[in-house]
């Protein structure tokens, strides 16, 4: 798993260096962002290891004890695995959308979106609180539906690859991008989700397949404004603090009167 993880990171770094940037990178952003993003990943990994809960362990427990819908129905393995992938993928879409619409969840997920540039390292940038909520929500889903542990592991491997791929700073050739969008979340779709303008951020919630955004009307295939005015991050977060580890870790606990979640009317105003 560690080798796979490192290989994906190295491939994404190599692609970023070879490809044209989506928008010009502001000078020196790597120096400020990479240590912060990597530090958050180290904190998350440490806390996850300390937490005696993983959705794969929950899947094994539910399987051994016949708990959850699929374990009760006991369908043929192919259907069990396919249902696990579909339910796992849909639940990630729903949980991600919840993190944008429920103010307390958004304050934690805001840490991920406050990265004012985007590259492979943004994949690592999550508040430990968000990681904790996600583990709880995913474990509850696995328990309720009795999802299959092997299919879940395959989905996890797919998620890691796609997550790095869609955060990386490159664009696919337009024809490939258009074709792939019918099935998958692509770099362009996810870069739009990281726009600093909320109407664009409130779209493309999928992590793996684009079917859920298509089905629920949240697919946004093109930026709603020209790339000249496109920017990453959150325009209500001061760039001076957006890479400050102390601020990132403590900000979810402090209500922010200028934030999107706290001021919905303000957020809907177009600001080029
Ligand atoms: Zn998001």
């Amino acid at each position: 798993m560690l080798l796979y993880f490192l290989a994906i990171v190295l491939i994404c770094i190599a692609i970023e260096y070879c490809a044209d940037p989506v928008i010009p990178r502001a000078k020196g952003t790597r120096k400020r962002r990479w240590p912060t993003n990597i530090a958050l990943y180290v904190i998350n990994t440490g806390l996850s290891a300390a937490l005696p809960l993983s959705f794969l362990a929950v899947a094994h427990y539910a399987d051994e004890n016949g708990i959850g819908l699929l374990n009760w129905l006991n369908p043929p393995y192919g259907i069990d695995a396919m249902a696990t992938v579909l339910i796992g993928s849909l639940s990630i879409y729903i949980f991600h959308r919840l993190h944008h619409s429920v103010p307390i969840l958004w304050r934690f997920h805001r840490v991920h979106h406050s990265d004012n540039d985007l590259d492979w390292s943004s994949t690592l940038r999550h508040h430990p609180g968000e990681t904790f909520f996600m583990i709880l929500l995913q474990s509850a889903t696995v328990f309720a539906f009795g999802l299959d542990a092997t299919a879940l592991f395959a989905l996890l491997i797919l998620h890691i690859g796609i997550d790095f791929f869609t955060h990386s700073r490159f664009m696919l050739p337009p024809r490939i991008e258009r074709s792939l969008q019918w099935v998958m979340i692509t770099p362009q779709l996810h870069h739009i989700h990281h726009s600093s303008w909320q109407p664009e951020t409130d779209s493309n919630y999928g992590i793996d397949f684009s079917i859920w955004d298509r089905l629920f009307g949240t697919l946004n295939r093109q930026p709603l404004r020209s790339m000249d005015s496109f920017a990453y991050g959150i325009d209500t977060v001061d760039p001076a603090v957006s890479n400050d580890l102390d601020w990132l870790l403590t900000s979810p606990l402090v209500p922010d009167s200028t934030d999107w979640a706290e001021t919905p009317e303000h957020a809907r105003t177009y600001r080029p």
Side-chain angles (χ1 to χ4, degrees):
M1 182 64 116
L2 183 65
L3 277 179
Y4 170 71
F5 193 88
L6 288 174
I8 295 280
V9 169
L10 290 175
I11 289 169
C12 288
I13 290 175
I15 292 173
E16 284 183 5
Y17 271 93
C18 296
D20 285 338
V22 183
I23 55 171
R25 189 193 287 275
K27 266 196 169 170
T29 69
R30 291 188 190 98
K31 273 188 208 154
R32 290 194 299 273
R33 295 172 46 255
W34 283 16
T36 303
N37 294 350
I38 291 169
L40 280 170
Y41 179 73
V42 170
I43 294 169
N44 271 308
T45 306
L47 290 177
S48 300
L51 193 73
L53 184 66
S54 102
F55 57 85
L56 290 176
V58 171
H60 280 298
Y61 179 83
D63 187 32
E64 280 166 12
N65 294 280
I67 298 169
L69 187 65
L70 289 172
N71 288 322
W72 293 332
L73 296 175
N74 200 19
Y77 185 70
I79 293 180
D80 193 7
M82 205 181 295
T84 293
V85 169
L86 286 176
I87 294 169
S89 172
L90 173 60
S91 63
I92 290 286
Y93 169 89
I94 293 171
F95 298 152
H96 186 190
R97 202 164 163 178
L98 279 178
H99 275 79
H100 279 263
S101 54
V102 177
I104 184 65
L105 295 181
W106 166 248
R107 280 194 218 154
F108 287 94
H109 188 52
R110 184 175 62 180
V111 168
H112 180 62
H113 278 270
S114 65
D115 200 347
N116 51 17
D117 204 344
L118 204 67
D119 60 20
W120 68 273
S121 74
S122 312
T123 318
L124 307 176
R125 181 184 174 112
H126 289 278
H127 192 283
E130 182 187 353
T131 306
F132 177 71
F133 288 136
M134 283 305 261
I135 290 174
L136 277 186
L137 291 169
Q138 286 174 311
S139 297
T141 307
V142 170
F143 201 68
F145 288 95
L147 302 184
D148 176 69
T150 308
L152 270 181
F153 184 71
L155 190 62
L156 176 67
I157 294 286
L158 184 74
H159 278 173
I160 292 171
I162 292 179
D163 222 16
F164 276 107
F165 180 63
T166 55
H167 283 94
S168 293
R169 200 182 177 79
F170 78 103
M171 286 285 116
L172 293 166
R175 277 183 63 181
I176 298 177
E177 171 69 35
R178 275 198 302 275
S179 306
L180 215 52
Q181 281 184 359
W182 284 103
V183 186
M184 308 293 298
I185 293 298
T186 60
Q188 177 166 303
L189 292 177
H190 200 65
H191 282 231
I192 291 170
H193 179 69
H194 274 270
S195 164
S196 64
W197 186 40
Q198 196 190 2
E200 288 176 333
T201 313
D202 288 349
S203 67
N204 303 344
Y205 295 105
I207 300 296
D208 40 34
F209 308 115
S210 56
I211 178 178
W212 312 119
D213 281 296
R214 204 177 291 280
L215 205 61
F216 296 112
T218 52
L219 188 71
N220 181 10
R221 302 181 70 178
Q222 292 287 337
L224 301 172
R225 51 190 172 155
S226 81
M227 288 308 276
D228 297 339
S229 53
F230 190 89
Y232 299 111
I234 300 173
D235 51 11
T236 52
V237 172
D238 182 352
V241 298
S242 66
N243 289 304
D244 182 321
L245 200 55
D246 286 347
W247 184 83
L248 289 170
L249 289 172
T250 55
S251 64
L253 308 172
V254 184
D256 179 352
S257 62
T258 67
D259 189 72
W260 288 346
E262 323 284 343
T263 57
E265 308 82 21
H266 171 69
R268 298 290 165 190
T269 310
Y270 177 76
R271 279 157 291 149

